[in-house]
Amino acid sequence: TLDAPCPAGKVQLAGGYELVSPNAQRLSVTFSAPYDEDASGWRVTFRNGSGITLSSVNVRVHAVCATLQ
């Protein structure tokens, strides 16, 4: 599980992830959504369903945050 928190005073508008390394392409995403009701960031949960040990995985998780008025 990886989180991308918003800075203090900002709320998340959207978010997502990028499977960067070749080994990351073997991961299954099981959850990609805001991680709380306060819209304070984005959470992505992955599962290795490949049946082999992945020794090096590069994944990016991002949140789009803004100040609401």
Side-chain angles (χ1 to χ4, degrees):
T1 298
L2 296 173
D3 293 335
C6 290
K10 298 194 179 219
V11 296
Q12 146 275 313
L13 302 176
Y17 62 92
E18 179 183 359
L19 303 175
V20 180
S21 65
N23 271 345
Q25 303 300 319
R26 297 178 182 208
L27 297 174
S28 299
V29 176
T30 59
F31 181 82
S32 178
Y35 61 72
D36 59 22
E37 293 178 10
D38 296 329
S40 60
W42 201 262
R43 174 170 288 159
V44 181
T45 302
F46 305 91
R47 185 175 67 82
N48 178 6
S50 69
I52 62 172
T53 300
L54 302 177
S55 60
S56 178
V57 176
N58 188 351
V59 177
R60 290 187 190 118
V61 175
H62 62 272
V64 178
C65 306
T67 302
L68 295 183
Q69 298 188 7

